[in-house]
Amino acid sequence: MTSSHQNKPPAFAPIAKLSRALRTGRMSSVALTQECLRRIAAHDVDFRSFLAVYEEEALAAAEQADQELRAGRDRGSLHGIPVALKDLVNMQGKPTTAGSPLLSTNIAQQDAGIVQRIVDAGGVIVGKTHLVQFALGAWGTNAHMDTPRNPASRGTDTLVAGGSSSGSAVAVAAHLVPWAIGSDTGGSVRVPAAFCGIVGFKPTIDALPRTGVYPLSESLDSLGLLASSVQDARLCFEALVGAPIATPETRRRIGVLEADELAPLAPPIARCHAQSLKRLEQAGFSLVPMRFPAPLAAFKEVTNAIMIAEGAWVNHRFLDDPGLPMDPSVRPRLIAARATTAVQYLEARATAASWQRAFAAEMDRLGLSAVAMPVTAMTAPRIEDVDHNLAPVHFTRPINLLALCGIALPAGQDGDQRPIGLQLVARAGDDHALLNVASEVAAALHPDPDRALSQEPCRA
């Protein structure tokens, strides 16, 4: 592959600025959508983020958005702004493959709830993005439907994008669209955001509607947002769910993990994480040591007993025929999940509920607004170096099991210029407050917003 970082087009202006330009007539939605389509045509041959592009429908929606604005009908800050959808979201009349050729003829009969909200907000859907088969995998590879390429790749090294929302993350990181929809069951928005150097927001479960979305785990799935900045993510979220009734108070007490829980970190990540926490202290945050209800390693077994068992139930019809095109990193996990007993599944659900109560109590006891922790233990590896027996979700899967909201934001880069993320997590339902904290944390990490992240790495 050609050095993709050299082929990446320039970044879009912040969505708020694009929105103002549409309202003042300095830009049209048609022109902005045409620019996205031009970028996809010119650059996605390298990045491979899009599975399908809906040029005719997108331009028609953009024209309607322009006509409405000219007529004085303003649907809000996303009116006329292009967006991409992870291809497990139903769009009427279009196939929803969930990353599998087995579902190539699965034509949606109606729009998903999130699509209806985007349409109601005046958004312009330009296409569907690639993902890991059945959304079961955090590296971002797909043996049958193509693997998106991380725009952070350098030279001849082609890095994984992270998954399962690989295409959505790449489409934003490569500046092909201003924002995108993903989903997150154990880190599938936050991991690709961290690997690609963008923002990934996983709201509280069902904060964004899941109707019409192909599931992996009914208990753990959340729809999420991928954007270039916390400000963009907050604008998109508020446009879809409404602004908070009152401005949430930002308490400047943040929980941090004890040293033993950071042991899995690769040295560059550990150094960057320590530097990030130091910057937060310098910005006036109080950092409070805290522990999760159980060691983070203990979350793997409990999470898998729920997630993989539910995923096997959703996809069981594909498991018995070895000739069907199933990803070799997906089929064995789903087949193994059949051995999960009802007792084990119910015990895992009970454990999750108990840990959820304990985490909330600890947050209250310590008076924390959020917890700061790594997103992944390593930076994005090369595609050929991926070990599918491991998954980069040690620090993200607990957030889903505890039903929390979480956000990944850029923290810096390692010595090879591979992005490193910082994760902030908060109580269920505290989505707006978390976005406020994340805005302040982002400002502390990068006090000069006009300076490109690539020019101020952690140098870890």
Side-chain angles (χ1 to χ4, degrees), residues 188-423:
S188 289
V189 162
R190 290 159 290 151
V191 169
F195 279 178
C196 292
I198 59 172
V199 170
F201 177 48
K202 174 222 163 307
T204 303
I205 190 170
D206 286 330
L208 296 175
R210 294 184 291 162
T211 55
V213 176
Y214 194 88
L216 171 58
S217 169
E218 182 68 24
S219 301
L220 303 175
D221 291 346
S222 293
L223 284 183
L225 311 174
L226 293 133
S228 295
S229 68
V230 176
Q231 289 74 18
D232 279 1
R234 178 163 60 181
L235 182 149
C236 294
F237 184 66
E238 292 183 355
L240 296 173
V241 307
I245 297 174
T247 301
E249 177 187 0
T250 302
R251 290 180 290 179
R252 298 178 69 82
R253 287 174 62 82
I254 291 183
V256 294
L257 300 181
E258 299 276 12
D260 60 310
E261 287 285 27
L262 299 175
L265 296 181
I269 307 288
R271 288 191 290 271
C272 188
H273 188 67
Q275 290 176 27
S276 295
L277 297 185
K278 183 178 180 180
R279 291 179 185 177
L280 296 188
E281 281 191 309
Q282 292 170 341
F285 286 93
S286 297
L287 304 185
V288 183
M290 62 86 66
R291 288 191 177 275
F292 277 66
L296 297 185
F299 282 79
K300 178 179 180 180
E301 181 178 356
V302 179
T303 301
N304 282 347
I306 298 171
M307 179 181 72
I308 310 300
E310 292 181 352
W313 178 77
V314 171
N315 299 292
H316 67 90
R317 63 194 185 279
F318 303 128
L319 300 182
D320 292 326
D321 183 351
L324 294 180
M326 288 191 66
D327 196 297
S329 67
V330 172
R331 182 197 295 274
R333 297 174 69 193
L334 294 177
I335 290 176
R338 286 176 159 178
T340 301
T341 66
V343 170
Q344 290 171 327
Y345 175 79
L346 293 174
E347 284 181 343
R349 293 290 301 266
T351 297
S354 174
W355 286 354
Q356 288 166 12
R357 293 189 295 270
F359 181 88
E362 184 69 355
M363 291 281 285
D364 290 341
R365 185 182 73 84
L366 297 175
L368 304 178
S369 60
V371 177
M373 55 196 295
V375 184
T376 61
M378 79 297 290
T379 52
R382 299 184 305 167
I383 289 177
E384 59 266 31
D385 294 336
V386 163
D387 182 355
H388 288 289
N389 294 315
L390 303 173
V393 295
H394 178 81
F395 293 102
T396 55
R397 68 160 70 90
I399 313 313
N400 299 78
L401 192 72
L402 297 178
L404 307 177
C405 51
I407 189 168
L409 54 154
Q413 298 173 332
D414 68 9
D416 294 323
Q417 298 185 10
R418 299 182 186 189
I420 298 172
L422 177 71
Q423 180 177 204

Side-chain angles (χ1 to χ4, degrees), residues 49 86 130-132 140-141 148 161-171 188 192 196:
S49 61
K86 183 176 183 178
H130 282 291
L131 66 149
V132 177
T141 59
S164 62
S165 305
S166 49
S168 290
V170 169
S188 289
C196 292

Side-chain angles (χ1 to χ4, degrees), residues 12-31:
F12 289 100
I15 292 177
K17 187 173 182 179
L18 294 175
S19 184
R20 287 193 298 271
L22 292 175
R23 280 157 182 73
T24 60
R26 290 185 289 110
M27 176 188 295
S28 70
S29 178
V30 168

Side-chain angles (χ1 to χ4, degrees), residues 130-193:
H130 282 291
L131 66 149
V132 177
Q133 188 175 51
F134 302 140
L136 183 56
W139 291 115
T141 59
N142 190 313
H144 298 285
M145 299 284 284
D146 213 350
T147 295
R149 270 50 173 167
N150 191 332
S153 301
R154 294 291 186 270
T156 58
D157 288 340
T158 303
L159 307 180
V160 294
S164 62
S165 305
S166 49
S168 290
V170 169
V172 174
H175 307 149
L176 305 182
V177 289
W179 70 291
I181 293 289
S183 69
D184 191 311
T185 308
S188 289
V189 162
R190 290 159 290 151
V191 169

